[in-house]
Amino acid sequence: MHKKNPDIYFLSENNLPFSDFLHFGMSTDCVIFGYKDKSLRVLLIQRGAEPYLDNWAIPGDLVYPEEDLDSSADRILQHLTGLENIYFEQFHTFGRVDRHPVGRVITVGYYSLVRTDNHKPVASTWAKEVKWFDINELPPLGFDHEEILQKALANLRKKVRTEPIGFELLPEKFTLLELQGVYEALLNMRFDKPNFRKKILSMDLVTPLNEVESNVAHRPAKLFNFDKERYDARKKNEISFEL
Amino acid sequence: MHKKNPDIYFLSENNLPFSDFLHFGMSTDCVIFGYKDKSLRVLLIQRGAEPYLDNWAIPGDLVYPEEDLDSSADRILQHLTGLENIYFEQFHTFGRVDRHPVGRVITVGYYSLVRTDNHKPVASTWAKEVKWFDINELPPLGFDHEEILQKALANLRKKVRTEPIGFELLPEKFTLLELQGVYEALLNMRFDKPNFRKKILSMDLVTPLNEVESNVAHRPAKLFNFDKERYDARKKNEISFEL
DNA sequence: AAACTTATAGTACTTTTTACTTTAAGAAAA
DNA sequence: TTTTCTTAAAGTAAAAAGTACTATAAGTTT
């Protein structure tokens, strides 16, 4: 017999005891995006344990009992890339009853943007291999990770149209043509060069530096950096970034 | 002593047993939006149990062990409004370690749009009262529900600019001025009447009916309905709706 | 029938977007 | 050192979209 319990919000018709509801596992998965050679990439791991041994998968881990969700995502990112202050964003939570073969595990999906030139991800105990995959040449993935990855991509593509996050994929200093390449890879479309340039400059969010690119076999382009302070200040006044 | 376990993805440095990670409670909260008298409203409940007894809160419930997240949200919506096929959307998951006084409960936030003319929500065992609140006159809320509500609203306001979901707040048949009222309430801004009208008609997503509104003390406006089929067909070709 | 209210159509103007041309600046080859 | 090549960067014109406002139509109420 179940006695009536201090319910959370309400326990509906069934009067199950509170403890019956505390049997969920919780994980976070991080879809890590990078940009190289004019194409968008995703960092995947090859699993070193059951279930889905040897399958490629999105890096993730169980959430610790005393850990916030965002902290968990941050931990995974640092563990895998060795980088701090990576841009990441929660985008969707996946909880299908049968999504995990071992038990009822809910996973919170995050996506992240990293500067691929900054680091070399390394394999470790929990992953046989870590590798960048072109977004158009993905291997089959374990769990429901194909669904998760596609949803991450869809969310990123939406977000990138209204917020200046494309910069997160580039080094501090970049040329406008490099920026254009990022947006073309992200949105899978071409832009007219002069018009893209005009549009970006008119937003007044990139600052020209007194520096040009080097080691190129043609006229070197001017380098810019993103003025995050100006953007943040402007965001308060609800001015939006649209591409 | 903990023995090494079949980990999910990987258990990082600490080798805690699998069962140690299955102590999460899981709930869904539904921010239910409605529209009436030119203003946007939210349906809240007054809690009939601890914690936060008598506080106003967003309706929600624990997820059942064998229940999908979306099903859980749907159940709450039906329970509360008696309506089926309500539009709802997952928007964010809240998991701060101390967000719930009773234990580690993660909550998945949904928002929902309902036609307020269709139903009368009723109080029941788990809620002393159920009431619509104007979005600008909200009471203090229990838990982290103020944060959840504001995030729901922000998400809705973003979504409404790119997808034609405003219609979900209106009856099947509506006038263009009513539609304008919905968007003005949602986005908290005014539109020019002729221009709004022109824009909506140019999208070709509403169909004029051979009917006009009645019981108005002036020239009655033509009624329209939303052509969901046309929108769905067009969405496949990636044509977007922007206001 | 006159006055009033809102629907609905239309018009002129401004801003933004798009497509394309021209010139500039540096690197490499002849 | 001159020519050729490549990309940077500025400019221009036409088209489209957005904005502000005016005028007329079609009902209801007095």
Side-chain angles (χ1 to χ4, degrees):
Chain A
M1 266 272 278
H2 290 143
K3 77 174 172 63
K4 197 155 169 51
N5 255 78
D7 56 0
I8 301 284
Y9 307 116
F10 59 98
L11 297 180
S12 285
E13 304 77 21
N14 336 17
N15 287 320
L16 298 174
F18 185 67
S19 62
D20 273 22
F21 292 91
L22 291 180
H23 289 311
F24 289 85
M26 204 71 211
S27 66
T28 50
D29 283 306
C30 297
V31 182
I32 304 173
F33 291 102
Y35 170 78
K36 204 181 176 194
D37 298 337
K38 294 191 176 290
S39 67
L40 189 61
R41 301 177 179 212
V42 182
L43 193 63
L44 298 175
I45 63 161
Q46 191 177 30
R47 289 178 53 79
E50 293 289 354
Y52 293 102
L53 176 68
D54 290 336
N55 274 243
W56 289 97
I58 298 166
D61 194 10
L62 291 167
V63 176
Y64 294 160
E66 303 261 322
E67 184 182 45
D68 286 340
L69 297 176
D70 285 359
S71 309
S72 171
D74 202 34
R75 169 170 59 83
I76 290 163
L77 288 169
Q78 283 203 27
H79 189 118
L80 203 63
T81 65
L83 298 175
E84 300 200 12
N85 288 103
I86 293 182
Y87 173 87
F88 67 94
E89 191 85 28
Q90 185 195 306
F91 69 93
H92 196 79
T93 295
F94 302 83
R96 250 196 16 247
V97 172
D98 61 352
R99 66 169 294 279
H100 199 291
V102 175
R104 187 75 200 271
V105 179
I106 311 287
T107 198
V108 181
Y110 285 81
Y111 63 77
S112 162
L113 303 180
V114 302
R115 309 186 153 89
T116 47
D117 58 318
N118 269 351
H119 74 102
K120 283 248 177 321
V122 285
S124 66
T125 50
W126 44 270
K128 288 185 175 175
E129 216 185 321
V130 182
K131 203 171 135 187
W132 286 103
F133 285 86
D134 188 293
I135 199 71
N136 299 308
E137 296 162 14
L138 294 170
L141 301 179
F143 302 97
D144 51 357
H145 284 191
E146 300 196 354
E147 178 192 355
I148 294 177
L149 201 155
Q150 289 309 317
K151 194 129 188 169
L153 184 58
N155 269 267
L156 172 59
R157 286 190 163 145
K158 219 161 205 185
K159 181 107 173 171
V160 92
R161 287 183 164 277
T162 51
E163 280 171 63
I165 56 177
F167 304 99
E168 302 288 344
L169 291 167
L170 288 173
E172 285 294 325
K173 302 171 181 181
F174 51 84
T175 69
L176 295 181
L177 193 60
E178 283 170 341
L179 184 63
Q180 182 177 343
V182 165
Y183 278 94
E184 291 186 338
L186 275 170
L187 297 173
N188 194 31
M189 60 190 290
R190 306 293 135 232
F191 292 98
D192 176 85
K193 212 196 307 186
N195 292 337
F196 182 85
R197 182 187 182 78
K198 217 184 302 175
K199 184 148 197 171
I200 293 295
L201 290 176
S202 76
M203 289 177 194
D204 223 28
L205 289 174
V206 296
T207 314
L209 305 173
N210 288 326
E211 235 177 304
V212 293
E213 59 182 341
S214 53
N215 297 323
V216 286
H218 55 77
R219 172 178 174 184
K222 194 182 282 184
L223 291 170
F224 292 79
N225 65 13
F226 173 56
D227 192 339
K228 185 157 170 49
E229 287 72 35
R230 187 178 296 166
Y231 174 69
D232 287 341
R234 212 181 292 178
K235 196 157 71 168
K236 286 184 190 161
N237 307 331
E238 305 199 35
I239 292 168
S240 83
F241 172 100
E242 289 262 3
L243 202 64
Chain B
M1 266 270 279
H2 290 145
K3 79 174 171 65
K4 198 157 168 50
N5 255 80
D7 54 0
I8 302 281
Y9 308 116
F10 62 97
L11 296 181
S12 284
E13 302 78 20
N14 335 19
N15 288 320
L16 297 174
F18 185 68
S19 61
D20 273 23
F21 293 91
L22 291 180
H23 289 312
F24 289 87
M26 203 71 210
S27 66
T28 50
D29 284 306
C30 297
V31 182
I32 304 174
F33 291 103
Y35 170 79
K36 204 181 175 193
D37 297 338
K38 295 192 176 290
S39 68
L40 188 62
R41 300 177 180 216
V42 182
L43 193 62
L44 298 175
I45 64 162
Q46 191 177 29
R47 291 178 52 79
E50 293 289 352
Y52 294 103
L53 176 67
D54 290 335
N55 274 243
W56 289 97
I58 298 166
D61 194 10
L62 291 166
V63 177
Y64 294 160
E66 303 261 321
E67 185 181 44
D68 286 340
L69 298 176
D70 285 0
S71 310
S72 170
D74 202 34
R75 169 171 59 83
I76 290 163
L77 287 170
Q78 283 202 27
H79 189 118
L80 204 62
T81 65
L83 297 175
E84 301 201 10
N85 288 103
I86 294 182
Y87 173 87
F88 67 95
E89 191 85 29
Q90 185 194 307
F91 69 93
H92 196 80
T93 295
F94 301 84
R96 248 194 19 246
V97 172
D98 62 352
R99 68 168 291 280
H100 199 292
V102 176
R104 187 74 201 272
V105 179
I106 311 286
T107 198
V108 181
Y110 285 80
Y111 64 78
S112 163
L113 303 181
V114 302
R115 309 186 152 90
T116 47
D117 58 320
N118 270 350
H119 73 101
K120 283 250 176 321
V122 285
S124 66
T125 49
W126 43 272
K128 288 185 175 175
E129 215 185 322
V130 182
K131 203 172 134 185
W132 286 105
F133 285 85
D134 188 293
I135 200 69
N136 300 309
E137 296 162 14
L138 295 171
L141 302 179
F143 301 97
D144 51 357
H145 284 192
E146 301 195 353
E147 178 191 356
I148 294 178
L149 202 155
Q150 289 310 316
K151 194 131 189 168
L153 184 57
N155 268 266
L156 172 59
R157 287 191 163 144
K158 220 163 205 183
K159 180 108 174 174
V160 93
R161 288 182 165 275
T162 51
E163 280 172 62
I165 56 176
F167 304 99
E168 303 288 344
L169 290 168
L170 287 174
E172 284 295 325
K173 302 169 181 182
F174 52 84
T175 69
L176 295 181
L177 193 60
E178 284 170 341
L179 185 63
Q180 182 177 342
V182 165
Y183 278 94
E184 292 186 338
L186 276 170
L187 298 172
N188 195 31
M189 60 191 290
R190 306 295 134 229
F191 293 99
D192 175 85
K193 212 197 306 188
N195 293 336
F196 182 86
R197 182 186 183 79
K198 217 184 302 176
K199 182 146 196 173
I200 293 294
L201 291 175
S202 76
M203 289 177 194
D204 223 27
L205 289 174
V206 295
T207 315
L209 304 173
N210 289 325
E211 236 178 303
V212 294
E213 60 182 342
S214 54
N215 298 322
V216 286
H218 53 78
R219 172 178 174 184
K222 194 183 283 184
L223 291 170
F224 292 78
N225 64 15
F226 174 55
D227 191 340
K228 186 159 169 46
E229 287 72 36
R230 187 177 297 166
Y231 173 69
D232 288 340
R234 211 179 292 176
K235 196 157 71 169
K236 287 183 190 162
N237 307 330
E238 305 199 36
I239 293 168
S240 83
F241 172 100
E242 290 262 3
L243 202 65

